[in-house]
Structures are given as structure tokens and as C-alpha cells.
Amino acid sequence: MASSRRSRGLLICALFAVLPGCGSKAQDQGTVSETVTQSEASQNASSYNSAGIDPATYAGRFQVKLTKEVPLRDIPVPFTVYGGLEESSPTRLRLRAFMDLRGLQEKAPQILTGPLEESCKRQIYLEVRDVTAIGETVKVEGSARAQFTRCKRNEEAGFRYFGATVDAVAVAKAEVKGQCLTFSIESADLSPRGFIGAVTNFFGLTNRINEAVLEKGGEFLAANPVCPPLPEEFSVLDPNYESGGTREIAPGGLGAAVVGSADVSAETIVKVLAGLKELGVLEFAE
């Protein structure tokens, strides 16, 4: 048992030693990390609270702060992950993590604005103006511009017989799938503008726009999950996220919490140590 505890302690120390920001390779990736013990974390609680994040959401025997930029649609998005680690079983570590997604929230209008559908029958362009977290949901406000056309024989858009712009408010949530958070649209409320809007409602075109927003928007979100950034050297830890979802960082800030575990078996420890040797973080006698 003592040997098992020493092995887990060795792995934790090794993990902290190579978190991005400690080696030249990690620094090139623009990542920074900090590690504190539980007692130190309680002393620093006020600084964490100043960011609006409750330390209880990532409590653990050891705590890590990891900052990294991840490209979404070629747009660099900053993520900050607060993680807590503690023993779960002889071969697994318990993980609690809270992701500060306010950087994603700020860039969301730029990332999400664009064509939603471009078929020969209809073309829908989505413009996102604002993203706000409310409890465990995310409210997305914007507008959708749609035009309906006749299809040519070559499946290209032809004669346009109707067009309209509608204001849109969608509500989304996130759930854990694999090692990522996948967002989905729970509902969409469309408000057609002016006289054309009344005509849009009359001919049932509002429902068709609504269906397109739910379908195409859902497809985009499913294809672009949010995954907690981890150093690639630790893919062998095989983190398994069991639960989690979006959380509000008051007031209105977007965050997400996940809970899971990671493999720390003897085989994994050997693989991690080998990775550390390749990075030049640890030296082994030949």
C-alpha cells in the first residue's frame, strides 16, 4: 500500500513538473500553469473569488491552473482550467475541473456568425450579437436572414421568391461526451420583423427557418465540442469525464464544470516517465 501511494505521489509530482509552461515546447504553445496544495488554495481563495469562480467546484488535494489558447474557426480562443486532483482508487485519480469560458463567450459572435445553410432551396445567414450564461444554460441572441429560392437543374440557387430577417434567441446547454463538453440547442424563439414578418408567419416560413436554426446550428455545435486543454504528453492518463455542464460565472459569465477520473496504474506511470524523459524534464541513469 505504501508503495502504491509513493507511485501515485511520483506521478502527481511528475505531472505537475511538466505541465505547460515548464518546458520550452510548452512555452512555445503559449500555455501557463500554476500548482498549489489544498491549504495554499484556501489562502488564495479570495483571489480566485475575484474572478467569480467558486474554489469548491475544483477542490482537491492538489490544484492546478492551466491557461491555453485553442483555435476555433482559425480564431484563437483563451481557455483557463482550474483542476483539483485527489486519490479515487489504487489506480485512478479523481479530477474536478472548472473551465473559465469567458474568452470563448467574448469571441462567440465572431465564431458563430456566418452561413448556417446554403442549399439551392434556402440560404440562411446567422448573425450572433450576444452570448450570456444563465445558471446552467447559455442564451444566444442574434438574427437570421433567410431567402428561399427555386432550384435549378444543376442544383444551384435560382429565382428567389421570398426573403426575410428574423430576430432569434436560442437557449443551449452542454453535456459531457467522452473527454469533451458538447453543446446542443434546447430551444429557439424567432420574431419576424415588420410586415414581411407577418407574411413569413402566414406562409409557415418562420417554422422552416426555426427548423433550420435548430438543425444546422445543432450540427455545428455537435461538430465543435469544447474539450478541457491538457498537455499532449498526458494523453496516456486516459481522463474519463463522468458528469458536468455549463455553469454561470456571475453575472452572466460562461463557465463549465466537469468531474471524472484518470488512470494512474503502474503501466501509465512508466509511460508518463518516458514522456518526461523525451521532454528533457527528467534524467535517467543509463
Side-chain angles (χ1 to χ4, degrees):
M1 179 62 71
S3 176
S4 176
R5 288 179 178 174
R6 284 196 298 271
S7 297
R8 288 195 295 273
L10 174 62
L11 178 61
I12 292 174
C13 293
L15 189 154
F16 290 156
V18 79
L19 277 172
C22 299
S24 59
K25 178 179 179 182
Q27 290 172 349
D28 291 341
Q29 294 174 338
T31 50
V32 179
S33 67
E34 300 172 4
T35 305
V36 295
T37 63
Q38 182 65 50
S39 59
E40 291 171 331
S42 62
Q43 295 174 2
N44 295 334
S46 59
S47 62
Y48 290 135
N49 282 328
S50 67
I53 301 173
D54 183 0
T57 58
Y58 56 90
R61 182 179 175 188
F62 295 91
Q63 294 186 322
V64 178
K65 178 184 176 183
L66 173 64
T67 299
K68 187 174 184 179
E69 280 194 346
V70 177
L72 290 176
R73 277 192 168 179
D74 298 325
I75 299 172
V77 178
F79 288 87
T80 299
V81 179
Y82 300 87
L85 301 173
E86 60 187 8
E87 294 181 11
S88 174
S89 73
T91 60
R92 295 196 73 83
L93 283 174
R94 193 69 174 170
L95 302 177
R96 286 187 176 88
F98 191 94
M99 291 183 286
D100 187 342
L101 303 179
R102 285 176 286 192
L104 172 62
Q105 181 179 8
E106 181 181 355
K107 300 289 184 69
Q110 185 180 355
I111 295 170
L112 298 176
T113 293
L116 197 60
E117 180 178 358
E118 293 181 299
S119 66
C120 66
K121 292 183 178 180
R122 62 189 182 190
Q123 301 84 49
I124 299 178
Y125 183 89
L126 182 66
E127 181 179 355
V128 174
R129 293 190 298 269
D130 186 59
V131 175
T132 306
I134 302 176
E136 297 183 1
T137 64
V138 182
K139 183 174 73 172
V140 181
E141 298 179 83
S143 61
R145 186 174 70 248
Q147 65 179 25
F148 297 86
T149 54
R150 303 290 184 186
C151 288
K152 295 181 178 179
R153 290 185 178 180
N154 58 1
E155 296 298 316
E156 292 183 355
F159 173 73
R160 188 183 77 168
Y161 64 88
F162 195 81
T165 299
V166 299
D167 293 316
V169 176
V171 175
K173 292 188 70 174
E175 62 177 331
V176 171
K177 290 186 178 181
Q179 297 180 4
C180 302
L181 280 172
T182 300
F183 285 81
S184 61
I185 300 176
E186 298 289 299
S187 63
D189 183 17
L190 305 185
S191 303
R193 298 176 181 175
F195 173 75
I196 295 298
V199 175
T200 304
N201 279 334
F202 180 78
F203 286 102
L205 298 178
T206 301
N207 288 336
R208 291 169 62 179
I209 299 174
N210 188 72
E211 291 171 0
V213 170
L214 291 173
E215 178 186 351
K216 299 300 179 180
E219 290 176 1
F220 173 82
L221 293 176
N224 294 274
V226 174
C227 306
L230 292 174
E232 61 183 46
E233 293 81 14
F234 292 98
S235 59
V236 294
L237 291 175
D238 188 26
N240 177 33
Y241 300 114
E242 302 156 5
S243 63
T246 47
R247 302 288 187 271
E248 181 181 7
I249 304 175
L254 179 59
V258 293
V259 177
S261 61
D263 176 34
V264 288
S265 62
E267 180 181 0
T268 299
I269 292 174
V270 171
K271 290 180 180 178
V272 171
L273 293 177
L276 298 182
K277 181 181 179 182
E278 291 181 4
L279 290 175
V281 177
L282 295 181
E283 293 184 1
F284 293 84
E286 298 295 340

